[in-house]
Structure formats: structure tokens, C-alpha cells
Amino acid sequence: MRALPVGDDALLVEVNSGEEARALHAELLRRRAEGSLSVREIVPAARTVLLDGLAAPSRVASELAMSEVPPAPPHARDVVELPVRYDGPDLADVAAHWGVCAHEVARIHADIEFSVAFCGFAPGFGYLTGLPPRYDVPRRATPRTAVPAGAVALAGPYTGVYPRSSPGGWQLIGTTDTVLWDHTRVPAALLSPGTRVRFVPVGSS
């Protein structure tokens, strides 16, 4: 674990894996809840956790260096189910990469319970983990200039759902009509770090 100063009142804590980042994020949330850590924002990423709004960053960095982070507890939240039509334009390419048929891609993907490791890229976009490493897929060689809202996509070890139309280079395998980001909703984001997610096939695939 390495804590790097960011400005006057923040730390970026680097760890070795996504699982370690999830464990650290859970532990920091626990410490803030019990009152032993005063921090404004705790933001997880793939292998880092940002602590923003610290009164004494150097003291917190020293404490983290001497502390042992327990494994992340099991996810206790209810599962968010996202209906999906496995009709994406890259479904055949993903099937070829996995060495299966398109129907099997849908079955494999829908059989997995995912969890949101972190959020980013766009408001409401969650990076979902859960696919075994053998199902990693590369990004497209040429990104699309516009990916439609609701596109269910794969890249590397992650699954994601585009909350709005935007450029993107992920492999598109399906479509959902679920609204991922709604500024009139509280909270606006349907998915947040730690959320459990399952994809439920609808229609033909």
C-alpha cells in the first residue's frame, strides 16, 4: 500500500489489485462510520482509493502504512436486476473470442452475479466485476464515435452499461432500457460501489 499526497488535503492510496482496493474502500467507509476517520469523500478505482477532504493527510498516510486491512465483507445489498436483450453488434466477436456461440455468451453473462467495483467515465457508469479471467475481452481496435444509452458492454475484466450516448471502445453485447442515471432520482445513480447486479435476459438473444 502506498499513499501519495494530492494537493493539500487529499491522498491517493495505491494497492496491488482490485480486490485489495475493494477491501480498503470497505475498511475506510467503516472507519468513517465509526468516527475514527474524518474525510469528505472516499472514491475507489481499479487499484486506488482517493481520500479527499482530510485535515491531516500525512497522519492518515502514516496510520494506513501501519494498519492491516481486513478482507472486504460480503456484499449485503439487494441485487439490482437489469433486463437485457443480448442483441449487441459485437456479440458474435465476443462469442468467437470466448470460443462459444452467441447464445452461450448470453447464458454465461446472465449466470454471473456482478458487483460494482468503482464508478467513473460518465455519471452513472459502474465498472462491474465478476466474469472469470478467461472471459476477458480486448477493447475494439477502433472506438465508436457514439454508443447508445443502455448498451451493455465488455472490456478487459469489466462489464459496464452506458448511461448515456457517448463515444466508446467497449465490446457491445446487449441493450437495457433501465435508466442508470437520473438527476431527479435520489440517489441519481442506480449503481454505486458495492452494488450487486444481475443481468436478466429478455426477448430473443
Side-chain angles (χ1 to χ4, degrees):
M1 189 188 309
R2 185 168 69 140
L4 305 173
V6 179
D8 296 329
D9 62 354
L11 288 175
L12 184 68
V13 184
E14 297 180 338
V15 292
N16 294 321
S17 68
E19 188 57 32
E20 288 184 23
R22 191 172 83 82
L24 177 60
H25 179 238
E27 174 64 9
L28 293 172
L29 289 176
R30 185 193 67 78
R31 294 183 187 184
R32 182 169 67 177
E34 73 175 12
S36 62
L37 175 65
S38 178
V39 59
R40 184 172 60 248
E41 297 284 347
I42 304 174
V43 184
R47 291 183 178 85
T48 63
V49 180
L50 175 69
L51 291 84
D52 189 24
L54 294 167
S58 58
R59 176 179 59 79
V60 173
S62 298
E63 291 173 353
L64 288 174
M66 295 184 295
S67 66
E68 188 166 326
V69 177
H75 296 299
R77 302 185 188 184
D78 291 338
V79 176
V80 172
E81 293 188 345
L82 299 179
V84 57
R85 297 179 298 278
Y86 285 96
D87 57 1
D90 301 321
L91 188 63
D93 289 341
V94 171
H97 188 78
W98 288 4
V100 300
C101 66
H103 287 284
E104 188 69 1
V105 171
R107 186 197 64 78
I108 292 168
H109 192 258
D111 278 351
I112 292 170
E113 180 176 289
F114 295 86
S115 63
V116 180
F118 56 96
C119 297
F121 167 64
F125 188 94
Y127 289 77
L128 280 62
T129 56
L131 277 170
R134 66 181 179 277
Y135 295 126
D136 284 10
V137 296
R139 293 171 185 258
R140 287 175 52 83
T142 303
R144 292 180 170 89
T145 57
V147 174
V152 178
L154 307 178
Y158 300 113
T159 292
V161 182
Y162 283 76
R164 64 186 184 192
S165 179
S166 63
W170 289 34
Q171 307 283 355
L172 308 185
I173 63 168
T175 310
T176 181
D177 295 327
T178 303
V179 177
L180 277 294
W181 176 265
D182 181 354
H183 71 277
T184 66
R185 183 173 58 198
V186 179
L190 180 64
L191 307 181
S192 60
T195 302
R196 298 157 62 201
V197 179
R198 292 199 78 104
F199 292 91
V200 180
V202 295
S204 58
S205 59

